[in-house]
Amino acid sequence: MNYSIEKVATLVGACRYGNVETNISFLLTDSRSLCFPEETLFFALKSERNDGYHYIPELYSRGVRNFVVEAIPENWDMLYPQSNFLEVSKTIEALQRLATCHRAEFHVPVIGITGSNGKTVVKEWLYQLLSPNKVVTRSPRSYNSQIGVPLSVWLLNEQTEVGVFEAGISERGEMKALREIIQPTIGVFTSLGEAHQENFASLEEKCMEKLCLFRDTNAIVYPLDEELVVRCIKTLNYKNTILGWSKKDSNATLFVKEIKKAELTTTITYVWQQGKEASYTIPFIDDASVENSITSAIICLHLGVEVKTLAERMPQLEPVAMRLEVKEGQHGCTLINDSYNSDFNSLDIALDFMNRRPDHKGRKRTLILSDIFQSGEDEKTLYQRVAFLAEKRGVEKFIGIGEGLIRQRKAFNKFGKKYFFATVGSFISSEAFRELRDEVILLKGARQFGFDQLTELLVNKVHETVLEVNLNAVVANLNWYRSLMKPETKLVCMIKADAYGAGSVEIAKTLQDHRVDYLAVAVADEGVTLRKNGITSNIMIMNPEMSSFKTLFDFDLEPEVYSFRILDALVKAAEKEGITGFPVHIKLDTGMHRLGFDPISDIDELINRLKHQNAIIPRSVFSHFVGSDSDGFDDFSAQQFALFDAGSKKLQAAFSHKILRHIDNSAGIEHFPSRQLDMCRLGLGLYGINPRTNERINTISTLKTTILQLRNVPSGDTVGYSRKGTIQHDSVIAAIPIGYADGLNRHLGNRHGYCLVGGQKAAYVGNICMDVAMIDVTGIDCKEGDSVEIFGEHLPVTVLSDILDTIPYEILTNISNRVKRIYFQD
Ligand SMILES: *Cc1c(COP(=O)(O)O)cnc(C)c1O
C-alpha cells in the first residue's frame, strides 16, 4: 500500500515544502535501517539525546527525498533539490497520526494485547493458530512502543484479515496514544505477573493504565483468577462482551477444568461458554505457556475457530524464540541465528541487524532461508520482495530451502551464488554446505524445516560452559548513562580487557552502531583486532607499548601519552614514517600515581615539547579518579579535579585547536555530573554494574553451564581432591564442566560460594578442579543436562566478588577465552 506525499501531508496536517510527486511505502525513524530510499518517508524524531534532523544530509545523499521535520532546514531547496519537506509541530505525533489514519482504513478484527508477561508469545501463537486460513498482520518481534506501534500498524494492507498488535508502556499516559493508533476491536490482558507485588498501589495504577487500551473495544479477554485485574476492570464498567477465563469459576466464558502435565506436553480440558467439554494439548509444560495458550484459545474460539480445529493446531505450537543469536561457526564463519517465526517483517529486522554489523573485508554475507508460509501474498510476489530486500541489505549469497523457494528460484537470479534445496537434509549432504567458509551467515528458517539441526552442525562445538551476552542490555546501560550526561558531552566506552570479559569485537560493533564517540582498549593488538573486524570508530589505546608505534599509525589507533619517554619515542617514530598531526591523548596524574604527567611540574615542559614538533597533536587531555565510587573520597576527588582543571586549561591555552577534556568514569558520571567536561569514560556501568552501589543496572552477561553427572554420595564420604569435601548427610552431588581454568575462582570451593540450579542455591563442594566442579544439589529437582547459572540474571556477579573479597571487575575479566561467548538481542 502506498500514499501520495500530498495525502500524507493532509493526513498529518503538515505544511508541505517542495512539489515533487512521490508515493510513500516505508516509514523510517532510524537512518541506519534505510533500505528503499525512493519510497521512504523519514521522520526526524527528537529525543533528549538525539535529533533525527542531523541525519537528513546523510539520508539525502543516500537517496531519501521525503522528510517530516519540526523546522525546515535553511536553504532546503538549494541543499536538497527535488525533495519534499513536511513541517509539523511534533514529528512523533505526526508519525502516530499517520498510523492512526492508516489503521482507520481497515474494518477487520484488530486484537490489541497488553499485560506484563506473555504479550509477544500470545501474539505469535495467535498468528500460528489463525494463519492457516486467515492472513494475520502483526507487530514484528516486540515492536510495542510509542514508535514501534505506529510502525507495526503501518504494515496493515489490503490482504490483512486480522491484525494483532502489542502495546507496551513504561509511563503514565502512554496507553492512550497506543489505543488511538491500534484501535483494537478486541482487547487482551495476558497477565499481571507477580513482580512488584509489594508495590500494590503502583501495581494497581499500572494495571489501570494498561486497561486504557480497552475503552472502545467490542470484547475483552482477561484472567478472572487475577483479583487485581478483575477489580480494576470492574471500575471500567465495561458494557461489551467479556471473555474471561478461570480455573475456579465454572461460569467463566472459558472454564479450565483440568490441566494435566505429561513429560513433554500439557493437556488442557475446558468448557467454552458453558457448552460441551473439550480439550487440547500443547507441546509445553511450563505454567506461562499453559496460560498463554488459554488466552490464545479464547480469542480463536471467539473469532470462530472450531473446537476441533483448535485441538488440531494447538499441538503444533512452536516456541517463540525472542532472541537473535550471534555465534562463532566453523571454518571462519559467524552465524546469526534467528529462529523467530519466519516471515517477511522479521526477516527484514534480522537482515538489518546483519547488515549493520561491520565485518572485515572479504567475508561474504550469506542468507540461508526456508520457505515463508502464510504471508497472504502469492508466492511469486513474496519471493521477489524477499530477493529484493536481501539484495538491498547486502546479502551476496543465497541458500533457499523448501519447495516454494525452488519454484520461485528465478526471483534470485541476481545473486552471484545461489543454491536451492528441498530439505535441510539435502543441503547438509551437498557441496554447498561443505563450501561454507569465511562467511557471515544469517539462518532464518521455519521450525518445521529442522534448522536446529543445521545450526548445530555449523556452530563450533562449544564446551557446555558459555557466557551469554545480552546486547540489548548493553545498549540500555549505555542509554542510562547517556541520560545522566548533557546531550553534547562526548563518550568514550572502555572495552579494554576484552570488554571486561564480554568480548570486545561484538560489544564494539554494538557501540559503533549506537554512535559512541570513542572506544578505548588497553594495548595496540586489541585495537588491531577491532579494525580487522570492521570497526571504524575512533579508538584510543590506553597502554601503548614502545614496540607498537608502527601498528598504531597503520591502523589509526590513537595512543595515550603519559610520559616524556613515550612522547619522544612516539614523535620520533611518527617523523620516521613522515606522519604529521597524529592524534594522541595526554594523561595527567592527579593522585592515582600510576601513569601520567604531573599537572604542575611537567606541564610547561610538556607544552614546550608538543609545540616543537608537528608529528602528533593532543586530541584530548584527561585524568582518572581514584575513588569516585565512594563519598568518603569526595574531598580527594575535588582536589584531583582542581589539579586537572588547572593543568588541562593551561595545556588548552597553549593551542588554538580544541582539546577535549575528560575525567569522569562510570561512577563519576553519576556522582559528579558537573565534572563531565567535554567527554566521559564509561566502563563498568556499561557492563551492568553500578560501581557506586554495586547494584545491578541491566545484567549483560550470564555465565552458564550444565550438569554433567549426578550421583548419590553417602554421609561420611568425601568429594574431590585431598578429601576436602566431607559429606555430612546423604547427598546428591552434581559435577559441572567449569573449573578454575575457566575462571571459576578456587576460593569459591568448600562451600564458600554457590551457583544456581533451577533457581536454587547449590554450594560448591570440595576443591574446585581445573575443568570441573562439584556442587550439592540435595533436595533440588534437577537432572543431568540441566542448566546451571554461575552468575548472571539471578545471581549477581557482585555476590561472588563479595564472597571472594574482590571487585566485580576481577571476576568478569577472569573468565577464560575458552568459554565461548554467545551474543543475543531480543
Ligand atoms: C578503565 C578505565 C575507565 C573506566 O572505569 P570504570 O570504573 O569501569 O567506569 C576510565 N578511565 C580509565 C583511564 C580507565 O583505565
Side-chain angles (χ1 to χ4, degrees), residues 20-75:
V20 187
E21 290 312 320
T22 29
N23 285 325
I24 298 299
S25 311
F26 301 93
L27 308 184
L28 184 72
T29 58
D30 180 340
S31 64
R32 296 164 298 191
S33 298
L34 178 65
C35 196
F36 303 99
E38 298 78 16
E39 302 150 71
T40 289
L41 176 61
F42 177 68
F43 286 79
L45 300 183
K46 250 189 182 145
S47 67
E48 243 171 72
R49 290 290 316 182
N50 213 337
D51 189 346
Y53 196 81
H54 300 318
Y55 302 105
I56 293 173
E58 173 202 328
L59 286 167
Y60 183 84
S61 73
R62 290 165 69 192
V64 178
R65 292 293 176 269
N66 299 288
F67 303 91
V68 181
V69 293
E70 293 178 9
I72 300 296
E74 249 176 75
N75 296 330

Side-chain angles (χ1 to χ4, degrees), residues 481 492-496 500 520 542-543 560 587 592 594 622-625 628-629 662-669 680-687 689 691 809:
Y481 278 96
V492 188
C493 283
M494 310 303 292
I495 54 172
K496 59 193 182 192
Y500 292 41
M542 307 308 279
N543 302 313
E560 163 184 322
K587 185 183 234 177
M592 176 79 94
R594 187 169 62 179
F622 70 104
S623 190
H624 197 29
F625 283 123
S628 53
D629 53 343
H662 47 115
I663 189 163
D664 269 349
N665 56 353
S666 304
I669 296 173
C680 298
R681 298 186 307 272
L682 179 59
L684 194 64
L686 189 60
Y687 306 99
I689 296 151
Y809 299 74

